[in-house]
Amino acid sequence: MSDVFADLVGQDEAVVELRRAATAAAAVLRAGAFDRAPALVTASAAEPASAPGGVDPSTGMTHAWIFTGPPGSGRSVAARAFAAALQCVHGTGCGECPGCHTTMGGTHADVRMVVPEGLSIGVGEMRALVLRAASTPSGGRWQVVIIEDADRLTEAAGNALLKAIEEPPPRTVFLLCAPSTHPDDISVTIRSRCRVVPLRQPPADAVAEVLVRRDGITPDVAQWAAAAAQGHVGRARRLARDPEARKRREAVLAVPRRLTGVGAAFDAASALIEAAEAEAEASVTEADTTERAALETALGAGGTGRGAAGAMRGAAGQLKELEKRQKSRATRAQRDALDRALVDLAGFYRDALTMALRAPVAPVHTDTAALAGAGAQKWDAEGSLRRLEAVLACRAAIEANVKPRIAVEAMMLALWKG
Ligand SMILES: [Zn+2]
């Protein structure tokens, strides 16, 4: 039997903490303490050791949590598993009961998941969410709000959330996911009100194990994909299963070989940008079409009655709003695709660097290890490091809103010149 935490790869410490908190939460519900006094402790940097009501903040349950870790480490997987454990009728996250099932399947009435599709989460969306989260849980346990990519909250949205976290309704739990607790990712005031669950980059062996066990992938392929994905579980699965994803990765790893001159550097930049655009388009087009059709149907498009024309005029605004949202999502998808390519490329130069230093570590990309070795000889440690830094600088520039094409062209030139 596998419980709700089974897919949280290589995160033993976090799982222990979450199990303990779920048990404490179940005890709180059993005690029925809510009618009398606030039974949960709100985490606060100022009062770490003890708290009223005898609940130890280091082991008990609290209203607001932040799951941090590198992309692919399983932040949202952890948040969802914890939500399931909170809704579990046994209070353990058994994986079998209706509470566990519906939460894991995304259909539990008291679990809301916010997945920002655009570049940021706006204040309107957050206010609506906070309002609904304050209602009494229909299942009698907890209202859980999971915010994926909480680092994409706008400042106003962050403030709306902060108010809710500062004075949480007795049965509401907020689970935030962010890359880190750096002030760039999450405001200091929100951070001070949350308990932090740090997740680490899962080791390749643990990722390979879950690919074999859960997805039925052969051990050889699983091992290769886990290493190539650099600890990103979802990416490892895609590489193992999707030939298109493998082809895109190969094209990216062919870049260092192709950089033979200025013209070639610009060509490589174009190719990389266009590949990211194509990948993003494939991922969002279907969703766009479905959404638009659904909205048009809801608005009565295709109607021929007297009211239909008037209704369509009013609907134009809603369609425009949808198009805006879809455009923002497409931009995000392109950036994500480009970022994945840059991470692959960084892995290649990292391999060259470790080889130049003769460091006893396994290469990220076993299939281009020979090429990285040749690079190591030619560039030495210093040249390899400079190239690795050029890739990382490109990622940082795009994150800081430099136009992707310009950032990638600058990077390609730096990679070529060394
Ligand atoms: Zn259960």
Side-chain angles (χ1 to χ4, degrees):
M1 187 186 82
S2 68
D3 72 8
V4 294
F5 294 107
D7 286 345
L8 204 49
V9 184
Q11 311 292 353
D12 298 348
E13 286 161 38
V15 170
V16 168
E17 184 179 358
L18 294 174
R19 280 189 201 284
R20 206 184 286 154
T23 307
V28 168
L29 289 182
R30 270 197 305 277
F34 285 102
D35 302 331
R36 297 192 295 276
L40 293 194
V41 188
T42 308
S44 162
E47 36 166 318
S50 67
V55 182
D56 177 0
S58 65
T59 57
M61 179 58 189
T62 186
H63 282 289
W65 298 72
I66 302 179
F67 296 84
T68 63
S73 57
R75 298 179 303 228
S76 58
V77 177
R80 186 181 290 242
F82 185 43
L86 292 175
Q87 305 294 11
C88 174
V89 299
H90 307 293
T92 56
C94 66
E96 309 278 328
C97 73
C100 285
H101 258 294
T102 50
T103 305
M104 296 305 272
T107 58
H108 196 293
D110 298 330
V111 179
R112 240 156 244 114
M113 191 129 181
V114 185
V115 186
E117 293 177 327
L119 294 172
S120 61
I121 308 176
V123 64
E125 194 179 345
M126 185 52 67
R127 285 213 184 103
L129 192 77
V130 164
L131 204 64
R132 286 177 65 189
S135 60
T136 310
S138 61
R141 297 188 70 88
W142 305 94
Q143 280 282 5
V144 183
V145 178
I146 301 174
I147 303 175
E148 268 195 46
D149 300 318
D151 52 310
R152 291 180 194 164
L153 290 172
T154 61
E155 198 183 336
N159 288 337
L161 175 65
L162 178 63
K163 274 198 206 110
I165 292 180
E166 274 173 343
E167 290 175 36
R171 294 268 186 113
T172 304
V173 180
F174 290 95
L175 307 179
L176 280 53
C177 307
S180 75
T181 53
H182 189 277
D184 283 352
D185 286 337
I186 209 93
S187 83
V188 176
T189 39
I190 290 183
R191 152 78 187 83
S192 72
R193 296 281 169 178
C194 295
R195 177 137 5 120
V196 180
V197 181
L199 302 175
R200 56 199 182 109
Q201 180 170 312
D205 285 347
V207 175
E209 189 271 328
V210 82
L211 293 184
V212 172
R213 172 171 56 79
R214 187 186 53 193
D215 303 314
I217 289 159
T218 60
D220 288 5
V221 175
Q223 212 39 269
W224 166 82
Q230 305 178 59
H232 192 305
V233 184
R235 171 112 176 104
R237 187 181 315 129
R238 247 193 322 278
L239 283 175
R241 287 178 142 181
D242 180 3
E244 288 298 315
R246 281 202 291 274
K247 241 190 266 167
R248 280 193 294 267
R249 172 181 169 277
E250 276 163 26
V252 169
L253 291 178
V255 163
R257 233 187 346 237
R258 290 175 53 185
L259 296 174
T260 50
V262 179
F266 279 97
D267 286 349
S270 283
L272 200 66
I273 296 279
E274 280 151 25
E277 283 171 358
E279 183 183 345
E281 192 170 318
S283 72
V284 300
T285 305
E286 201 186 312
D288 283 0
T289 316
T290 318
E291 272 177 7
R292 194 182 168 95
L295 182 59
E296 282 176 349
T297 307
L299 295 171
T304 50
R306 245 159 194 265
M312 270 322 277
R313 274 197 298 279
Q318 289 190 49
L319 280 170
K320 209 168 211 149
E321 187 58 35
L322 177 69
E323 275 164 16
K324 210 174 103 194
R325 224 170 44 234
Q326 291 181 337
K327 190 156 180 260
S328 170
R329 176 170 61 194
T331 308
R332 182 79 245 165
Q334 267 176 36
R335 289 212 191 161
D336 288 349
L338 187 56
D339 197 57
R340 274 194 295 278
L342 292 174
V343 168
D344 280 344
L345 205 53
F348 175 85
Y349 292 107
R350 175 260 189 207
D351 285 348
L353 176 62
T354 55
M355 287 176 197
L357 292 171
R358 297 181 206 291
V361 290
V364 169
H365 302 299
T366 44
D367 41 358
T368 53
L371 195 62
Q377 287 212 327
K378 202 161 106 193
W379 305 322
D380 229 337
E382 212 179 300
S384 304
L385 179 60
R386 267 201 309 277
R387 287 172 173 83
L388 174 57
E389 282 172 344
V391 180
L392 299 179
C394 178
R395 287 185 77 196
I398 292 171
E399 194 55 42
N401 274 325
V402 172
K403 244 184 162 26
R405 182 172 291 272
I406 292 174
V408 171
E409 283 172 353
M411 173 192 78
M412 291 296 185
L413 286 173
L415 291 179
W416 165 61
K417 284 196 306 192

